[in-house]
């Protein structure tokens, strides 16, 4: 299906109101038994209702509670299981503490420090290893409840204090109570961590299991502290003043803890404790401990240190084995409870999943239709939005001849539900967008053709106006009139550049072309000659490179636009500096002004336009120079970028290597107007008429030449008040050989300029009006100047030969016939007046 202005090719009309009147109607009768024909609301309600009700019925009743309970029991089991590492660390810490207490007693009475340090080192290493094992086992519990993490961090901090206090044991610089107090706090923190696991509510059996091994661990800790007190007294050889009180208090606490354990423990655990308490090794330690008790009024006996340490060590090992058994019972009970809860949870979740899968199976049959249709619609919509429509718009934007045929694919969803209607709507929108794009392409082509036609017509008139101004300038000797002619000359040159800008925006090539390489310095001087304030342009340090001829005209236009912007937005008393150098295989041109500059946001926007030439619109008319530079740079492959300078703006042009060429066989010599411009630069000033002070003139590589002004050849005196000379690109870029042969400044041959005879020399005898009363000659104002001016005028009127009207008409006919063959068949043609008619300027054809 082709989208075009013809209503027969699509479902829309060219009339703007009828374009949006297309309506999509079902082409088949909807059946309630066909799933794909159901309404979208019905499908969505069916897909969402069934699984939602099943989830609310089963999953919402038990799953969240069971999962939470299972998680809590699993954490409880892990915390109880880590009790093995906690009790091992407590046991090693008790060994180190009790041994340190005895060594401190020995050191108090003058023992060997090095021997004490050597005896304690193995015990300290064993304690460190037990703490490392505990930390490694606690890594999986980093996500446990906050109270357990706090208790674990407190236990580690207490152990760090023990590590710090170890160095104070051999010199015995601190009191025994201070040193042992750090050990007591570390052991107490570990026992608090051991009692931290909580199974939650409605779990009394698990709470009792935790209480049993915690109470037994406290019994073992109190027994260890009694051992430490007795061992310290044995090593010291006597009891301290407070040892009896401390021992009595520890034994009382031990009996209390043992009673609590027997209350909470099972009968099996009580039986094992009783068997352990009557073992020979246990009884030996108990007998030695009873000897340390006060009987009657007698003092307690000091026990032998080695005998007491060996017996108490065996008793502690028995209590350690009993503690491990009670802890294993608690771990096993916690794991069984966790496993039972996990099985219950899995059964409930399994039932929920089964019902949910059944609901999903039902929903899948319904959702497949919706998903497939939506997927196909999405694919077609994305293909239209990202591929087909942009490609069609790009093809229509770049069309130069006839408008191509744009086919719009039909809808891929053929169902009668809302998705099918939406697919038809997408296709209708696509077709409407293509139709609008076709109409816009036709309008753009007509507008571009109109621009080209008007620009070509204006170019012809401006060229004729420039030729007429050249003739008037050659024949004019009055300086004031010559200045006005120069101003008209520059205005006409700027009008011609505006015409070329319209051609650039319309996508047409410029008419000014060169077929030989041209020096970069000549190109820069030609660009400066194209602007109004050319006197303010200073060209410095130009590299000795040449440009290919076909790019010279467009590059001159591009540089002229940048120079025009630099002079227009800077103070009249400043200069615009232009430099050019070879860089990275190409050439880099910099144009620096001291003007208003641009804000960072405006710079970013301008550089975006320069990097990617936009289409011509109203903004292009408002900022034509920027858009013209962007299009010319893209056409030539030149990178243009604007940057903020110190006091103004810097424009950088990077010319690629393909635009550089070796010098041509014909050397380019500056025309008279260019020589006048260079000589003005050598003097540093070109005065402007009516200006209060001179303005710097452009300089090209510091060249200095004489200036012929108002028809005067080099060597003749210049009037005191100078005039700005008109310099155009054709004057700068015209080769001397071409000028001598009468060739024009570009490919089209122009009229040959009449030869102006040399000016007469000024009279050798001054012109006077007699003498005054004192005998001095009276000067006649302007006598010498008028003589020179009159002598500089040609003696006879130059002869002018007009071209043959028939020859010119035949040449234009052949030119326009070639243009018509190059363009498309429906491109707007440029009307050509018949032979013998009149053109816009009134000249005969």
């Amino acid at each position: 299906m082709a989208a075009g202005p013809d209503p027969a090719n699509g479902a829309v009309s060219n009339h703007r109101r009828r374009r949006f009147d297309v309506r999509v109607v079902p082409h088949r009768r909807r059946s309630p038994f066909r799933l794909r024909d159901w309404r979208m609301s019905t499908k969505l309600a069916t897909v969402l209702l069934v699984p939602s009700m099943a989830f609310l019925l089963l999953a919402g009743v038990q799953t969240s509670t069971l999962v939470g309970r299972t998680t809590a029991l699993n954490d409880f089991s892990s915390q109880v299981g880590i009790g093995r590492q906690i009790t091992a660390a407590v046991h090693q810490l008790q060994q180190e503490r009790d041994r340190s207490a005895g060594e401190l007693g020995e050191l108090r009475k003058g023992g060997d420090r090095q021997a004490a340090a050597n005896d304690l080192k193995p015990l300290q290493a064993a304690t460190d290893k037990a703490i490392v094992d505990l930390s490694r086992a606690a890594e999986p519990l980093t996500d446990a409840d906050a109270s357990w993490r706090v208790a674990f961090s407190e236990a580690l901090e207490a152990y760090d204090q023990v590590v710090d206090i170890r160095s104070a044991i051999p010199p015995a610089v601190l009191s025994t109570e201070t040193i042992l107090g750090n050990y007591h706090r570390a052991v107490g923190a570990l026992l608090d961590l051991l009692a931290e696991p909580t199974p939650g509510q409605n779990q009394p059996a698990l709470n009792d299991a935790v209480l049993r091994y915690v109470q037994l661990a406290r019994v073992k800790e109190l027994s260890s502290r009694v051992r430490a007190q007795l061992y310290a007294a044995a090593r010291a050889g006597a009891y301290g003043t407070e040892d009896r009180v401390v021992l009595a208090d520890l034994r009382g606490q031990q009996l209390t803890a043992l009673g609590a354990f027997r209350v909470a423990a099972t009968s099996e655990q009580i039986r094992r404790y009783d068997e352990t308490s009557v073992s020979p090794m246990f009884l030996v330690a108990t007998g030695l401990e009873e000897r340390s008790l006060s009987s009657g009024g007698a003092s307690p006996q000091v026990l032998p240190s080695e005998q007491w340490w060996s017996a108490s060590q065996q008793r502690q090992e028995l209590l350690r084995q009993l503690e491990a058994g009670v802890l294993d019972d608690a771990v096993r009970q916690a794991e069984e409870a966790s496993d039972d809860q996990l099985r219950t949870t899995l059964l409930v979740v399994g039932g929920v999943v089964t019902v949910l899968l059944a609901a999903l199976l039902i929903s899948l049959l319904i959702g497949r239709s919706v998903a497939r249709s939506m997927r196909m619609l999405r694919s077609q919509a994305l293909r239209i939005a990202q591929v087909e429509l942009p490609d069609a718009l790009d093809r229509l934007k770049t069309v130069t001849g006839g408008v191509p045929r744009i086919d719009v694919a039909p809808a891929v969803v053929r169902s009668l539900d809302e998705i099918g209607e939406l697919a038809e709507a997408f296709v209708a929108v696509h077709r409407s967008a293509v139709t609008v794009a076709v109409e816009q392409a036709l309008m753009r082509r007509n507008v571009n053709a109109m621009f080209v036609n008007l620009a070509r017509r204006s170019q012809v008139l401006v060229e004729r106006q420039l030729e007429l101004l050249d003739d008037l300038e050659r024949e004019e000797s009055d300086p004031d009139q010559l200045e006005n002619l120069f101003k008209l000359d520059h205005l006409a040159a700027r009008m011609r550049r505006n015409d070329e800008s319209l051609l650039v925006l319309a996508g047409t090539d410029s008419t000014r072309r060169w077929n030989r390489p041209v020096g970069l310095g000549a190109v820069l001087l030609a660009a400066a000659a194209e602007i109004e304030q050319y006197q303010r342009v200073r060209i410095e340090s130009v590299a000795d490179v040449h440009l290919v001829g076909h790019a010279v005209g467009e590059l001159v236009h591009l540089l002229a636009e940048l120079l025009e912007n630099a002079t227009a937005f800077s103070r009249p008393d400043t200069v615009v500096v232009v430099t050019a150098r070879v860089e990275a295989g190409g050439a880099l041109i910099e144009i620096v002004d001291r003007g208003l500059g641009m804000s960072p946001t405006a710079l970013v926007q301008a550089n975006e336009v320069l990097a990617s030439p936009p289409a011509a619109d109203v903004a292009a008319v408002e900022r034509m120079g920027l858009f013209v530079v962007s299009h010319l740079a893209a056409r030539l492959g030149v990178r243009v970028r604007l940057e903020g300078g110190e006091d103004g703006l810097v424009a950088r042009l990077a010319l690629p290597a393909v635009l550089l060429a070796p010098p041509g066989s014909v050397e380019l010599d500056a025309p008279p107007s260019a020589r006048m411009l260079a000589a003005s630069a050598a003097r540093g000033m070109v005065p402007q008429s009516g200006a209060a002070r001179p303005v710097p003139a452009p300089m090209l590589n510091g060249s200095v030449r004489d200036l012929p002004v108002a028809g005067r050849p080099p060597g003749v005196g210049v009037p005191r008040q100078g005039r700005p000379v008109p310099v155009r690109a054709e004057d700068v870029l015209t080769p001397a050989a071409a000028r001598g042969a009468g060739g024009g400044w570009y490919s089209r041959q122009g009229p040959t300029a009449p030869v102006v005879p040399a000016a007469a020399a000024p009279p050798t005898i001054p012109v006077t009006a007699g003498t005054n009363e004192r005998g001095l000659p009276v000067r006649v104002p302007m006598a010498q100047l008028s003589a020179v001016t009159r002598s500089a005028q040609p003696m006879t009127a130059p002869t002018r030969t007009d071209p043959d009207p028939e020859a010119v008409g035949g040449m234009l006919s052949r030119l326009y016939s070639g243009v018509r063959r190059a363009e498309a068949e429906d491109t707007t043609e440029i009307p050509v007046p018949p032979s013998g008619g009149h053109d816009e300027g009134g000249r005969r054809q």
Side-chain angles (χ1 to χ4, degrees):
M1 182 181 296
D6 188 4
N9 294 333
V12 295
S13 172
N14 281 334
H15 198 279
R16 295 183 181 271
R17 294 182 178 178
R18 294 181 57 191
R19 183 189 304 150
F20 303 101
D21 291 338
V22 179
R23 300 187 63 183
V24 179
V25 296
H27 55 277
R28 295 194 306 271
R29 183 177 179 181
R30 180 181 291 108
S31 173
F33 300 102
R34 281 200 300 264
L35 184 61
R36 64 178 184 178
D37 293 339
W38 285 9
R39 285 290 183 183
M40 183 62 65
S41 58
T42 305
K43 293 180 179 179
L44 291 178
T46 305
V47 168
L48 296 177
L49 185 60
V50 175
S52 297
M53 292 300 296
F55 181 80
L56 292 176
L57 180 63
L58 296 176
V61 176
Q62 293 292 336
T63 302
S64 59
T65 303
L66 292 176
V67 170
R69 190 177 302 171
T70 302
T71 303
L73 288 177
N74 187 32
D75 294 341
F76 171 76
S77 176
S78 301
Q79 294 174 10
V80 173
I82 206 176
R84 296 188 177 96
Q85 286 77 19
I86 297 175
T87 55
V90 169
H91 181 71
Q92 295 298 332
L93 196 59
Q94 290 170 350
Q95 293 286 100
E96 180 184 349
R97 179 193 59 189
D98 298 347
R99 192 72 177 183
S100 299
E103 296 297 336
L104 287 172
E106 181 72 22
L107 292 172
R108 298 297 180 189
K109 67 177 184 177
D112 187 2
R113 298 180 179 181
Q114 186 62 36
N118 293 336
D119 292 340
L120 293 177
K121 186 175 296 184
L123 297 175
Q124 294 172 356
T127 305
D128 294 338
K129 183 178 182 303
I131 294 297
V132 170
D133 295 340
L134 174 60
S135 300
R136 188 181 299 111
E139 289 180 357
L141 296 178
T142 55
D143 296 333
D145 56 285
S147 61
W148 193 91
R149 293 198 304 269
V150 171
F152 181 71
S153 62
E154 291 177 354
L156 293 181
E157 291 177 0
Y159 176 73
D160 292 338
Q161 295 177 2
V162 171
V163 174
D164 295 337
I165 206 66
R166 285 173 178 173
S167 60
I169 296 176
V173 294
L174 299 176
S175 63
T176 303
E177 290 77 8
T178 302
I179 296 174
L180 296 181
N182 287 278
Y183 284 95
H184 298 338
R185 283 191 295 271
V187 173
L190 289 174
L191 293 179
D192 292 339
L193 180 64
L194 189 66
E196 190 64 32
T198 54
Q201 299 177 354
N202 301 325
Q203 296 290 342
L206 297 179
N207 287 323
D208 292 341
V210 174
L211 181 60
R212 292 171 197 142
Y213 67 77
V214 171
Q215 291 297 337
L216 185 58
R218 294 189 183 279
V219 171
K220 180 174 174 291
E221 163 61 13
L222 293 171
S223 176
S224 176
R225 292 185 64 178
V226 170
R227 177 180 66 169
Q229 290 293 124
L230 295 177
Y231 185 62
R235 293 292 295 271
Y239 290 101
T241 57
E242 297 181 358
D243 289 347
R244 299 178 185 179
V245 177
V246 173
L247 287 172
D249 183 56
L250 291 175
R251 288 189 180 98
Q253 294 180 19
Q254 184 180 11
L255 293 176
T256 302
L258 182 59
F261 168 71
R262 298 182 70 89
V263 170
T266 62
S267 58
E268 177 63 23
Q269 293 172 349
I270 295 175
R271 183 187 64 79
R272 279 185 287 174
Y273 179 80
D274 292 339
E275 291 179 355
T276 302
S277 63
V278 296
S279 63
M281 292 182 294
F282 196 94
L283 292 177
V284 170
T286 303
L288 289 174
E289 183 179 350
E290 289 177 354
R291 291 167 52 183
S292 64
L293 298 175
S294 299
S295 58
S299 299
Q301 181 180 354
V302 177
L303 301 178
S305 61
E306 296 299 329
Q307 183 182 6
W308 167 246
W309 179 259
S310 176
S312 61
Q313 178 71 10
Q314 294 176 357
R315 185 176 67 177
Q316 288 298 113
E317 289 295 335
L318 292 174
L319 291 176
R320 174 79 179 93
Q321 296 175 4
L322 182 61
E323 180 188 41
V326 175
L327 181 60
D328 290 340
D329 293 341
V331 171
R332 183 170 53 256
Q333 188 176 355
E335 290 178 351
E336 290 177 355
S338 177
D339 293 340
D340 292 342
Q341 185 64 42
L342 179 61
R343 283 192 295 271
T344 303
T345 303
L346 291 178
L347 288 176
V348 175
V349 171
V352 171
V353 170
T354 301
V355 176
L356 189 60
L357 288 177
L360 289 177
L361 182 61
I362 299 174
S363 302
L364 181 62
L365 298 177
I366 303 173
R368 282 186 59 187
S369 176
V370 178
R372 183 173 179 273
S373 300
M374 292 295 294
R375 186 166 53 251
M376 295 172 62
L377 178 60
R378 176 181 178 273
S379 176
Q380 185 182 25
L382 290 177
R383 187 173 64 253
I384 291 174
Q386 299 179 2
V387 179
E388 295 181 359
L389 189 56
D391 180 67
L393 295 179
D394 292 339
R395 290 169 58 189
L396 293 174
K397 284 181 180 179
T398 58
V399 63
T400 56
V403 178
R405 181 183 181 88
I406 306 296
D407 294 329
V408 177
V412 295
V413 180
R414 307 299 297 173
S415 60
L416 299 182
D417 57 356
E418 288 84 350
I419 299 179
E421 295 177 358
L422 183 60
E424 294 290 344
F426 267 116
V427 173
V429 171
H430 185 197
R431 188 181 298 111
S432 300
V434 171
T435 302
V436 173
V438 169
E439 293 178 357
Q440 291 182 351
L442 292 174
M443 182 175 62
R444 281 196 303 270
R445 190 188 62 178
N446 295 334
V447 171
N448 288 341
M450 180 177 62
F451 281 170
V452 173
N453 194 359
L454 293 177
R456 297 295 188 192
R457 290 171 180 265
S458 179
Q459 273 188 322
V460 173
L461 296 178
V462 171
E463 292 293 344
R464 291 176 56 188
Q465 183 179 2
L466 290 173
E467 294 175 0
L468 179 59
L469 288 173
D470 288 340
D471 295 340
L472 294 177
E473 290 167 1
R474 284 191 295 267
E475 297 174 359
E476 184 60 49
S477 60
D478 185 7
D480 295 331
Q481 294 298 329
L482 188 60
E483 180 185 6
N484 294 331
L485 290 176
F486 288 166
K487 292 181 179 179
L488 290 175
D489 192 292
H490 266 290
L491 289 177
R494 293 175 61 192
M495 292 172 59
R496 182 180 61 188
R497 184 153 51 89
N498 288 337
D499 295 335
E500 292 179 353
S501 298
L502 290 177
L503 293 178
V504 170
L505 295 179
T508 306
D509 295 336
S510 175
T511 57
R512 293 191 289 178
R513 292 183 178 275
W514 281 260
N515 54 5
R516 299 181 183 88
V518 180
L520 181 57
V523 172
L524 293 175
L525 188 59
E530 288 283 327
I531 67 174
E532 180 180 5
Q533 303 182 44
Y534 64 90
Q535 303 96 331
R536 296 172 52 199
V537 178
R538 186 175 299 277
I539 304 175
E540 299 177 350
S541 62
V542 179
D544 187 13
V545 295
H546 288 72
L547 304 177
V548 294
H550 67 83
V552 170
E554 293 179 343
L555 190 58
V556 168
H557 190 183
L558 189 152
L559 291 169
E561 293 291 345
L562 294 176
L563 291 174
E564 184 78 32
N565 181 78
T567 56
F569 292 96
S570 60
R571 297 190 307 273
D573 57 344
T574 60
V575 296
V576 176
V577 180
V578 183
T579 59
R581 63 178 183 271
V582 178
E583 186 177 278
L588 180 64
I589 302 175
E590 291 187 354
I591 301 174
V592 183
D593 65 73
R594 296 181 179 271
L596 301 177
M598 300 176 69
S599 64
T601 303
L603 271 178
V604 171
Q605 295 176 355
N607 286 323
E608 290 178 354
V609 173
L610 292 174
S612 178
D617 54 5
V618 179
V621 178
E622 296 176 352
R623 305 175 65 183
M624 180 178 293
L626 182 63
F627 281 80
V628 169
V629 169
S630 175
H631 283 271
L632 289 177
R635 187 180 299 177
L636 296 175
V638 177
R639 289 187 293 107
V640 182
R641 184 171 181 82
L642 302 179
E643 298 179 1
E646 296 181 358
D647 298 326
L649 203 64
V650 179
R652 289 186 171 89
L653 290 81
L655 305 181
V658 295
L659 296 183
L660 304 183
S665 59
V666 178
E667 294 294 334
L668 299 181
D669 189 15
S673 56
R675 291 197 300 271
M676 297 161 67
L677 185 64
S680 301
R683 290 192 297 270
M685 298 293 174
V686 175
Q688 292 188 2
S689 175
R693 53 182 175 178
V695 179
M699 177 181 291
L700 177 59
N701 293 334
S703 59
V704 180
R705 299 186 182 182
D706 295 333
L707 290 178
V709 180
R712 292 182 178 85
V716 180
V718 183
R720 288 175 294 177
Q721 182 176 1
R723 304 291 181 179
V725 295
V727 183
R728 296 194 299 272
E730 56 268 31
D731 298 331
V732 178
L733 300 176
T734 302
R739 292 197 306 273
W745 60 277
Y746 54 96
S747 59
R748 179 174 61 85
Q749 296 293 326
T752 303
V755 179
V756 180
T764 57
I765 301 175
V767 180
T768 63
T771 58
N772 57 9
E773 56 185 7
R774 296 183 180 181
L776 298 177
V778 177
R779 184 176 63 86
V780 179
M782 301 298 291
Q784 301 293 112
L785 182 61
S786 61
V788 175
T789 303
R790 286 192 299 271
S791 62
Q793 295 178 355
M795 300 303 296
T796 59
T799 58
R800 299 182 60 179
T801 57
D802 293 331
D804 184 14
E806 296 295 330
V808 173
M811 180 183 65
L812 292 178
S813 298
R814 291 191 298 273
L815 172 64
Y816 288 134
S817 63
V819 172
R820 286 194 299 271
R821 287 195 303 272
E823 294 177 341
E825 58 182 0
D826 55 351
T827 302
T828 305
E829 299 180 359
I830 302 177
V832 180
S835 177
H838 296 272
D839 60 3
E840 291 86 343
R843 181 177 295 181
R844 295 284 298 175
Q845 296 290 337

